[in-house]
Amino acid sequence: MGGGERESAKRAAEAEEYHCHDFEWKDLRAEVEANPAFSYHLSPFPTSQQAPSSDAWTSFHRRHASGKFFKERRYLLKEFPELLNIKDCVKVLEVGCGNGSTVVPILRSSPSMTVYACDCSKETLEKANEIVCNTKGFDVKDKFYPFLLDVSKETFPDWLFCKSCQSSHARDVNPLLGSSNCSMIKEHLVFLRDNQCCVGGIDIITMIFTLSAIPFDIMPATIERCVSVLKPGGLVLFRDYGLYDMTMLRFLPHQRVGFREYMRSDGTFSYFFTLDTVRELFCASGLLELELEYCCVISVNRKNGKKMQRVWVHGKFQKPTS
Ligand SMILES: C[S@@+](CC[C@H](N)C(=O)[O-])C[C@H]1O[C@@H](n2cnc3c(N)ncnc32)[C@H](O)[C@@H]1O
């Protein structure tokens, strides 16, 4: 077996091994809520307006510029099979792409489709571009477009889905190019054909461990912005931290900055979702719920052999067609 085949076999085996129901979330909840040591996580929190943490993320990426935090999310295609072998006309938007951990498996599975990817950090976009371009097995020319955007504050640029096309749901209607508020992609704007005003909207949005990084108060407006560039019938694929995930229970009382919301020592945020919260947030933006569940996985710390109970929320939502 050659190096490439070995790597493919390893990836397939890892994805095959992936499991998501090692324990029941309600059992964990009962355990946590009965344990006095965790009581500070449950108490109400006075309403607080948190400043967005995009600057903290920029510093985070600067500190980790080597890109060693990159880990391809190999389970992604198993969790979201709609990303498998999709047609070349399909457009995906990865919100908060980091170093490209989500982008790489998507492009690997369907190298002919187009992935747009935004992040609030220029450094991480550059790293993502480098990682994606150097990944063997696919040619990203005209297929990967990273761009700078703080999704907690800024609207998506017009070239993605201009207002005129959003309201008419039509394509190729206006030869005028909309203004763009992003910097990186400007050099790529040649990808719009002469008669195109925008790329015509997005078919699939992936939000993978990004929403939790945004202050809770700002989440509804952030989701609205994402939904505005989604075509009717388009999907949002969501995965993020679930309530009582081991990383939540490790936060100390002084790190609480809101109800179920914490600030790491580097200034980045982490919110922990229940299914109800996710449902309310996405359905309030007019999306329909297709799938929503906890993934509860026991993983073992390689160094000390300790078992860790991980909780993530898996969700899939659709924009109505009319
Ligand atoms: C935990 S990482 C997840 C990265 C990627 N989605 C993945 O699957 O690995 C969260 C990412 O969201 C980005 N982010 C945080 N706040 C953001 C914001 N307001 N606008 C855009 N990106 C943001 C961070 O820079 C970081 O790259």
Side-chain angles (χ1 to χ4, degrees):
M1 206 189 265
E5 283 170 338
R6 248 196 313 275
E7 179 57 21
S8 311
K10 189 171 154 226
R11 266 199 306 278
E14 278 179 15
E16 201 51 50
E17 268 171 25
Y18 174 71
H19 43 113
C20 58
H21 292 293
D22 289 344
F23 59 93
E24 292 294 326
W25 183 78
K26 60 178 174 30
D27 294 341
L28 174 66
R29 181 182 66 182
E31 215 178 283
V32 170
E33 293 182 359
N35 187 339
F38 294 135
S39 60
Y40 63 91
H41 292 291
L42 316 179
S43 58
F45 200 91
T47 338
S48 61
Q49 186 76 44
Q50 298 301 328
S53 63
S54 45
D55 290 348
W57 277 102
T58 302
S59 311
F60 171 90
H61 291 301
R62 254 177 221 149
R63 279 196 309 281
H64 301 292
S66 70
K68 71 173 185 197
F69 269 79
F70 171 78
K71 196 160 189 279
E72 190 176 330
R73 296 196 186 281
R74 292 181 169 153
Y75 58 80
L76 205 75
L77 305 174
K78 207 157 172 120
E79 284 282 306
F80 299 114
E82 39 286 285
L83 290 169
L84 269 168
N85 305 318
I86 52 185
K87 286 181 272 141
D88 51 356
C89 52
V90 169
K91 298 178 185 81
V92 172
L93 169 67
E94 155 68 339
V95 178
C97 64
N99 284 350
S101 303
T102 290
V103 174
V104 169
I106 295 176
L107 277 170
R108 198 194 291 287
S109 125
S110 309
S112 58
M113 75 169 161
T114 311
V115 177
Y116 302 91
C118 68
D119 203 284
C120 58
S121 153
K122 192 163 184 286
E123 280 79 1
T124 201
L125 289 167
E126 282 164 2
K127 196 77 212 171
N129 202 35
E130 186 189 315
I131 289 174
V132 171
C133 291
N134 290 336
T135 303
K136 293 201 182 83
F138 53 84
D139 177 9
V140 293
K141 192 171 174 301
D142 302 334
K143 296 296 165 200
F144 178 56
Y145 297 103
F147 62 99
L148 190 63
L149 184 100
D150 181 342
V151 72
S152 71
K153 293 192 207 147
E154 297 170 288
T155 51
F156 282 92
D158 276 357
W159 56 257
L160 214 47
F161 203 12
C162 73
K163 298 287 172 297
S164 164
C165 291
Q166 281 184 31
S167 51
S168 65
H169 301 152
R171 302 193 197 160
D172 301 332
V173 285
N174 186 341
L176 297 172
L177 184 65
S179 67
S180 165
N181 60 1
C182 74
S183 50
M184 259 186 100
I185 197 118
K186 274 186 184 143
E187 53 206 69
H188 300 301
L189 280 175
V190 284
F191 66 82
L192 289 178
R193 290 194 305 270
D194 287 346
N195 64 341
Q196 276 185 310
C197 50
C198 65
V199 302
I202 294 297
D203 299 283
I204 300 179
I205 292 179
T206 52
M207 295 183 91
I208 311 293
F209 296 100
T210 295
L211 197 61
S212 58
I214 288 169
F216 185 70
D217 293 348
I218 306 175
M219 286 183 197
T222 302
I223 296 172
E224 288 275 344
R225 277 194 276 278
C226 295
V227 171
S228 74
V229 294
L230 193 61
K231 288 184 201 167
L235 295 175
V236 174
L237 308 181
F238 175 83
R239 192 175 173 91
D240 219 318
Y241 296 110
L243 189 68
Y244 304 142
D245 176 51
M246 163 220 107
T247 59
M248 169 181 168
L249 301 175
R250 278 183 182 171
F251 278 112
L252 299 171
H254 73 271
Q255 293 178 290
R256 281 186 92 205
V257 292
F259 189 55
R260 298 173 181 162
E261 200 170 14
Y262 301 81
M263 193 193 278
R264 300 186 186 90
S265 50
D266 62 6
T268 59
F269 283 100
S270 195
Y271 182 87
F272 294 84
F273 294 95
T274 62
L275 300 189
D276 285 343
T277 308
V278 175
R279 177 175 295 120
E280 279 162 27
L281 282 167
F282 284 95
C283 294
S285 294
L287 299 186
L288 308 169
E289 176 185 325
L290 300 184
E291 289 174 16
L292 189 57
E293 61 180 353
Y294 290 110
C295 298
C296 297
V297 174
I298 292 184
S299 62
V300 180
N301 183 316
R302 283 203 200 132
K303 282 190 192 143
N304 56 21
K306 263 194 168 176
K307 283 191 177 165
M308 300 178 287
Q309 288 179 297
R310 304 306 315 264
V311 181
W312 297 291
V313 171
H314 162 100
K316 195 184 298 176
F317 297 86
Q318 187 166 35
K319 189 167 184 172
T321 45
S322 57

